[in-house]
Amino acid sequence: MLNFLKPTKKDIKIPEDKVLQTYKSYRTLSLSGAFVGYMGYYLVRNNINLSTPLIQNQLEVSKAEIGLITGSMLIAYGVSKGLMSALSDKADPKRYMALGLILCALINIILGFCNSLHAYIACVIMLGVFQGMGVGPSFITLANWYPKKERGIYTAIWNISHNLGGGIVSPIISKSVFVLSPVLGITVADLNEKYWQISHCYVPAVLAILISLYVLYAIKGSPENEGLPSIKEINAMRGYEDVLSTQKAKSDLSSLEIFKSYVIKNPGAWGVALMDTFVYLVRFGVISWLPIYLLEAKGFTKGQMHTAFLFFEWAAIPSTLFAGYLSDKIFKGARMPPAIIAMIIIFFMILGYFTSNNLNLVIFYAAMTGCLIYVPQFLCSVQTMEVVPSFAVGSCVGLRGFMSYVVGAALGTMLIGKMVEVFGWNAGLYILLSSCILCILCAFFVHIYSKKLNKI
């Protein structure tokens, strides 16, 4: 670990009468930093999905080759997420997260100069590598500052950051064209077609760099490193008891030892990883192909496609918050029942998305799929923090991230792209429906394991 990325302990001690006040202030700031920071990662990631029709026209490539571009990024991200999240267990969350965000922005700037398939693939692979630096620090921050009793709702709040970031890319790209046109002296038409890289790559990159500055300001280290008592002591002062708080951090263990002892041998860790694999297959099987599918198969205009893309992302915001509340308050910490219900409904929404020819209904089915697909993904994220001790959260996130992207997202992009190329869009439908069923089965296993572990 590079020295400047290592966590530092402040040489102060917060007075006892100010502990709870300071704790609440720091954890709110930390949550806001993780929220805005992770939103920034999606500004310089989902812009690639929106660029696929333009890249396809620019390079005159097939759907399978477009799938290779998006799939290469996701595979690189999955591998990196596994490694980078494990390394983040030993890093300062804010510096680690901010550095990754700046590097993603720089790769986006380079992407604006690409003019060949191989150049795009090389750049998106590097983008995927640096994207892996975002999620680990987020979960470590949540685990450091929030007890199990509160993680459902607060993780739900953090989780909508990527819906906001992923959804806001579309209006940012669309509106920046009109803002920049008079400034640059370029017509709107030319900015949309000839110089599309400015709005699709450069604008999100600049915003991501600005966001990294807020990350450095807002996110705090562990309570102990900020001069506070341990989270276990703070929870006791607040009258909370955390199931995993009795497991002391193994600061003498390396990242590899933590991964081998507390993740690889943990059935719960594998359960959430496999469940998330099928969630991601569905998620990326829809979102990665939504622009091309709606333009080509459904006859949407570009404006209608952008609307559907935005609804897919933003429809998840209220459902994620509601699911967090349900899992905390109604299901008493059980995360999987709401996830199973959501996946059953998604099964039928995907059927409607592929079979309907009505413009409004297609947008509705896409929005409902987006509304619900992030529910099992988010609940799987919360469950990840609860099947391992807090000092192994990054490593468990790494395994889940590796499986969900290298297997799930890659199949949702490259496999579906190849199958659609050969057999048509119905092949994509069958793959997505099968994934829904397998996800439900995995969720049942995780629920049973979690009940046994935590005695919910």
Side-chain angles (χ1 to χ4, degrees), residues 13-14 19 222-225 227-234 237:
K13 185 174 182 180
I14 304 297
V19 165
S222 66
E224 296 99 315
N225 286 350
L228 291 165
S230 69
I231 189 65
K232 180 180 178 181
E233 294 174 81
I234 294 173
M237 293 172 66

Side-chain angles (χ1 to χ4, degrees), residues 51-71 116-118 120-121 288-289 292-293 296 413-422 425:
S51 303
T52 52
L54 295 162
I55 296 171
Q56 188 176 28
N57 290 335
Q58 176 191 357
L59 303 181
E60 297 181 351
V61 294
S62 67
K63 295 182 186 66
E65 288 169 318
I66 288 294
L68 184 61
I69 291 175
T70 54
S116 72
L117 178 64
H118 293 101
Y120 271 108
I121 292 173
S288 295
W289 292 104
I292 292 176
Y293 175 71
E296 180 183 285
T413 52
M414 289 191 289
L415 176 64
I416 287 181
K418 186 63 177 177
M419 295 295 285
V420 168
E421 192 79 29
V422 177
W425 287 107

Side-chain angles (χ1 to χ4, degrees), residues 243-278:
V243 174
L244 297 177
S245 63
T246 56
Q247 297 176 289
K248 296 180 180 179
K250 308 292 184 180
S251 57
D252 56 324
L253 294 180
S254 68
S255 296
L256 180 59
E257 289 171 327
I258 290 172
F259 184 69
K260 287 167 62 177
S261 299
Y262 292 91
V263 178
I264 289 294
K265 298 178 181 179
N266 187 333
W270 281 104
V272 293
L274 287 171
M275 175 187 166
D276 218 30
T277 298
F278 296 113

